[in-house]
Structure formats: structure tokens, C-alpha cells
Amino acid sequence: MARILLAQDSLLPPHFKTEAPPMLRAMRTILTFGAPRFDSNERGTALSSRIAKLGPTYIKLGQFLATRPDVIGDKMAADLQHLQDKMPPFDTAQARAMLEQEIPAADKLISNLSEPVAAASIAQVHMADDARQPGRKLAVKFLRPHIEATLRDELLVFQSLARWLERLSPKSRRLRPVESLKTLARTMAFETDLRLEAAALSEMQQNSKDDPYFTVPEVVWEATSKRILSMQWIDGIPASDLVALRAAGHNMTLLAERLIQTFLRHALRDGFFHADMHQGNLLIASDGTLVGIDLGINGRLSPDSRRFLAEILHGFIIRDYELVARVHFEAGYVPRDNNMAEFAQALRSIGEPIRDQNAGDISMAHLLNQLFEITEQFQMQTQPQLLLLQKTMVTVEGVARSFDPDLNFWDAASPVISDWLKKQLGPEAQLRSVRDSVLGAGRALQRLPQTLSALETASQKLLQDTPRADRMARWLGAIAMLAAAAAMALFWLAP
């Protein structure tokens, strides 16, 4: 992924290039001591491996900052793309003790707990048998002992530093470091309560039950608690094992397209998406189905944010930069005292250079990064609700391009985006809007007698309390009559 981002540097307008602040550059120099100066992959690997040794919160913060080139600079963001969340496992005896302590009648639900099959900074996974269904395998996930206290203490330090940064550096307030760290803290809180991950898996399964070529494991609720998550074991080839995928006869281009379309479908249609879909959290079943695992980090978008996202992407696809600019202003991403035409011109400077590039040279993730590059010029504030979306899009595109380096992101994304916009802004959407308005008017009409009675009571009280209330009561009566007339007109005239 880092190679993809670095390969695109020539597409970035010179006056939009960024570099990490001096303090971060000094830290990078210390953490990459001994790594080759001119080999970006070696430097990135060294930086990431040394950050990983600092602890779980540092890993999560590094992964989070990798999505913020506007804060830490393009080079450091590319370096941090190497950061992998892998840690030595804790003893299986501790997992067994946790199982007996937290799950009533655990021996009747789970048997033959294996040694760890995967270990990350916050949790590790074991294979087991379903004691109630012979032959059915389970994946059982355990939180690391004392991980909650470790994360809480380390986050408090980071949050204090962020508050001091905002006080001492007014320029940093636009980037909202305190709010960004709150977003990170919320995602980590979800990761340390496995009941929430179970609920996310259940919601994703319900949303995607009819989706082609995508699934998630089924939760075993009876064997799930705050610190333990039991779910269906699904066999598949890890998305990182490209040799095995090709040997199994999978169509790599098709897998890449399915991944892009699945992510956009979930983000736009459902407003709920897997926000940590890297190679380690994605399996490929024998029939080419994408299996999403480890849903500890998930993202949500409001209906307005979904529409803004779809229209921005669609505007770049059809080269309508005025549309993209207008959406930014409408969404409030750009303060209204800016010039919309100038902002559209800046957007054109991002979009046009990539139009004549080969499909394999066009990075949607890099396009989003460049979009963040122009935020300072137009006083755009960071949108915390979009940070996970940007992070996930960077990751998903990186995985898709590992399947097919020549992937045309625009061609893969266009059907999903166009279909969603058609459903949301087309005739069907207009009919739904009219229907909702009529239903709303009907409900208001049903409440009208109670509303009029309340107004009459209020007017009588005013008459008793003050001589000037006579005029006020007449006004209230007139308002009530006008409200009744308006409600009746809306109800009867609506198509």
C-alpha cells in the first residue's frame, strides 16, 4: 500500500505537498535509526515494528495517524501503512480460566479449545468444537488480560497531550486533535467489549444476508460475554495469501471488484461498514465469497453523510467539479465565506491530472488524501465522522490492488454509486418523500383536536391573568385556525 501512495506523489500539486511537523520528524528519525535512508519500505518497516513494541495504544494510534497525511505528512503516512497489529499470544491456560469464569456451563458449549491461531494487541483467537453440534467448528476470541486498564492509562496521556497542543498551537485547532482522539477512544472502547463486536457481526449479517459474495460469521450468543466472543468458524484463504488464491483458481480481478463494491454498498446503503478490512481480517471462501472477520472496529454514516459521499465521488467520476464544490459547501465542510468557484478550481487541480493515467496508476485513496491536502487553504475543519471512512477506503483499495494492480477503481465503484444515487434522488425517492410528507400531515391532523384544546386552555388562562391577554388570546386563536387550515390543505391536496 505504501508503494501505491508513494508512486502517486507526482500527481500532487507542488503547493499542496505536506511534511510532518518538526517534532514528528525527529521522532521518526529516532525510531528509524539504522534503517536505510533512501529505502522507503525499509524505513516504514523499521518505524512500524518499533512502534509495535511500545504497546497496543501506540499501534492503534499509528494506524489511525496513517490515515491523516494532512497532519503527519505524506511520507510518514506512507511509512505507517506498514504497521501490523500482531503480538505474541498469552498463555492458553489463561484463556481457559477466563472461559470457565465468564461463561456458565462453558463445558456444555465449547470443547477442545486449541492453542492460539491468531494474536493481536487487544485479543487473540482460538479454534474450538461446538459441544452441542458435533463437527461444527467455532472461533473463540479472548481479550488480553488487563488490556482495558492499559488502554485507558495510555489514552489519558494522549488526550492530555492533544489538549495542550490545541492550547499552545491555534493552527492545530482546525485539525481537531482532541476530537480525533475521542473518535479513536470510542473505537477502542468497542474493541474491548466483545458483546459490541458480537452485535456488530449480527447487524452486518442481517444487512448483508442477500448480498452477493459477502458474509460474516454467525455469533454464538450463549458463549459470548464482555471478554469472550464465540462465533462460527468459516474456512477460507487469507486475503494476504495471493499465491494460494491464484492456485485455488480465483479470478483476482473479480475479487478486487467485489471488495470495492461490497465496501461502498455497505457504506452507502446501510451507513454501517467494516472499518478494519485489511488482509488479516478478510478470508476468501472456495466459491469466491468474501468473509469479513474481526468487526471490532466499525463505522457509521448519517443519511446526509452518505449522500454527500456519493455525490462527491460521482462528481469526480463525471468530472463535475462544481457539483463536488457545491456538495462541500452544502455539507458545511467548507466555511461559506470561501469562494465556491475557487474551491471548484482547486478540486479540478486534483481530479484532472488523474484522468489520463493508466487504471493501475489511479488511486482513489490518494485522491481522498489530496482532498485533505487543500483543507487548510479553505479553512475546512476535520470531520471526525469521516475519518474511519477514509481510513477504510485507503485499506480496502490497498487490498483490492493487491488482488489486481491494474484495478480501475472508477469502473468498479461507478455501478454502486450510480445505483444508490438513482434510488435516493430519482423518482422513487421523490415518491417516498411525498408519501412521508402525507403520513406526517396525517399524524399532525390526528393530533389537531388535542392541539386546539391546549391552545384554548392557554388562551383562557391568559384572559384570567392579565387585561392585555385579550389581544393575545385573539392572536392565539388566529394561529390555531391557520394551523388547522394548513394541515387540512396539506392532507387533502397532497398527491
Side-chain angles (χ1 to χ4, degrees):
M1 187 62 212
R3 289 193 189 95
I4 293 170
L5 290 173
L6 291 173
Q8 301 297 319
D9 280 347
S10 61
L11 300 182
L12 190 64
H15 58 291
F16 289 152
K17 285 185 180 292
T18 60
E19 179 57 283
M23 183 180 296
L24 287 178
R25 293 205 301 272
M27 291 176 61
R28 176 175 58 189
T29 300
I30 294 171
L31 289 171
T32 59
F33 180 78
R37 292 291 83 201
F38 301 104
D39 189 326
S40 60
N41 289 310
E42 288 288 338
R43 181 186 60 188
T45 301
L47 176 66
S48 297
S49 64
R50 290 166 188 174
I51 288 175
K53 293 177 182 177
L54 296 175
T57 312
Y58 293 88
I59 292 174
K60 296 298 180 183
L61 182 62
Q63 292 175 328
F64 186 73
L65 288 175
T67 70
R68 299 299 311 278
D70 58 325
V71 175
I72 66 173
D74 299 298
K75 292 180 180 178
M76 187 174 288
D79 288 346
L80 289 175
Q81 293 293 333
H82 293 268
L83 190 57
Q84 297 295 315
D85 192 355
K86 296 181 180 179
M87 299 285 283
F90 61 87
D91 196 294
T92 302
Q94 291 180 282
R96 291 195 178 99
M98 193 185 305
L99 188 61
E100 293 175 2
Q101 181 181 358
E102 298 219 1
I103 305 298
D107 58 329
K108 296 179 181 179
L109 299 170
I110 295 173
S111 61
N112 300 324
L113 190 72
S114 75
E115 293 299 311
V117 296
S121 59
I122 290 179
Q124 68 185 34
V125 177
H126 300 246
M127 182 189 284
D129 292 327
D130 189 330
R132 299 174 300 178
Q133 298 184 38
R136 187 190 189 203
K137 295 292 184 182
L138 300 179
V140 187
K141 184 174 182 178
F142 296 86
L143 285 186
R144 286 185 173 275
H146 315 300
I147 189 64
E148 299 97 327
T150 300
L151 294 176
R152 183 179 62 250
D153 293 344
E154 292 178 354
L155 273 172
L156 285 174
V157 174
F158 291 142
Q159 289 168 342
S160 296
L161 290 174
R163 284 193 291 270
W164 275 106
L165 179 63
E166 287 197 1
R167 290 174 188 169
L168 298 175
S169 173
K171 187 177 180 181
S172 72
R173 293 170 193 160
R174 180 187 66 86
L175 302 173
R176 301 166 75 178
V178 171
E179 188 64 31
S180 296
L181 269 174
K182 287 180 180 178
T183 301
L184 175 62
R186 282 193 294 271
T187 65
M188 293 175 73
F190 266 73
E191 288 191 89
T192 53
D193 187 341
L194 296 182
R195 295 169 300 185
L196 299 178
E197 181 178 347
L201 282 167
S202 177
E203 182 176 354
M204 181 70 73
Q205 185 180 47
Q206 181 177 345
N207 290 344
S208 60
K209 64 181 184 298
D210 297 324
D211 286 0
Y213 298 105
F214 179 81
T215 190
V216 293
E218 180 182 355
V219 175
V220 181
W221 285 103
E222 300 89 337
T224 294
S225 67
K226 184 178 187 297
R227 299 177 59 78
I228 299 173
L229 168 58
S230 300
M231 55 196 145
Q232 168 194 13
W233 180 278
I234 301 180
D235 286 315
I237 300 172
S240 58
D241 196 342
L242 302 180
V243 174
L245 289 172
R246 293 191 182 97
H250 289 291
N251 183 323
M252 304 302 284
T253 299
L254 193 58
L255 288 180
E257 292 176 354
R258 284 174 181 170
L259 179 58
I260 295 294
Q261 292 176 357
T262 293
F263 166 68
L264 288 173
R265 189 178 293 116
H266 293 169
L268 293 175
R269 181 194 64 196
D270 307 326
F272 180 69
F273 57 91
H274 191 317
D276 198 20
M277 201 180 279
H278 57 73
Q279 288 96 328
N281 288 340
L282 191 65
L283 303 175
I284 310 300
S286 57
D287 64 351
T289 294
L290 307 174
V291 183
I293 59 176
D294 194 353
L295 218 67
I297 303 177
N298 47 77
R300 293 188 183 275
L301 293 175
S302 68
D304 280 345
S305 292
R306 285 182 253 168
R307 179 170 64 84
F308 297 146
L309 169 66
E311 291 186 338
I312 287 170
L313 294 179
H314 183 64
F316 275 110
I317 289 173
I318 65 174
R319 303 170 75 171
D320 188 343
Y321 305 109
E322 287 75 18
L323 168 64
V324 180
R326 188 165 62 252
V327 171
H328 274 79
F329 275 74
E330 180 186 348
Y333 298 161
V334 177
R336 293 188 178 276
D337 57 356
N338 282 285
N339 186 295
M340 189 181 298
E342 291 178 356
F343 185 62
Q345 180 182 355
L347 294 171
R348 184 178 294 273
S349 75
I350 296 173
E352 285 304 301
I354 69 175
R355 299 309 306 185
D356 297 326
Q357 299 290 323
N358 294 326
D361 295 329
I362 300 174
S363 169
M364 187 62 205
H366 190 69
L367 177 78
L368 289 180
N369 286 339
Q370 290 187 63
L371 201 54
F372 274 82
E373 297 292 344
I374 67 174
T375 60
E376 185 169 8
Q377 183 179 358
F378 291 91
Q379 297 88 46
M380 280 175 59
Q381 283 196 335
T382 299
Q383 303 297 318
Q385 76 276 17
L386 300 180
L387 289 177
L388 277 178
L389 176 75
Q390 186 209 12
K391 167 188 177 292
T392 309
M393 191 169 287
V394 170
T395 303
V396 166
E397 186 182 22
V399 177
R401 286 191 185 278
S402 73
F403 294 154
D404 179 7
D406 295 325
L407 170 72
N408 189 319
F409 184 96
W410 305 97
D411 287 348
S414 185
V416 176
I417 295 171
S418 299
D419 183 61
W420 189 86
L421 284 172
K422 179 180 177 181
K423 289 180 179 178
Q424 296 300 312
L425 304 178
E428 293 180 11
Q430 297 300 321
L431 287 174
R432 285 197 302 272
S433 178
V434 170
R435 181 200 62 191
D436 292 344
S437 296
V438 171
L439 290 175
R443 287 191 292 269
L445 194 61
Q446 289 175 345
R447 294 192 301 270
L448 190 57
Q450 294 93 327
T451 303
L452 291 174
S453 176
L455 284 171
E456 182 180 5
T457 301
S459 65
Q460 292 296 328
K461 189 174 186 306
L462 281 171
L463 282 171
Q464 296 170 0
D465 291 346
T466 172
R468 291 180 297 178
D470 185 38
R471 185 166 47 186
M472 182 66 72
R474 287 196 295 271
W475 274 106
L476 285 171
I479 291 172
M481 293 301 295
L482 285 172
M488 291 290 291
L490 181 61
F491 183 76
W492 291 112
L493 297 178

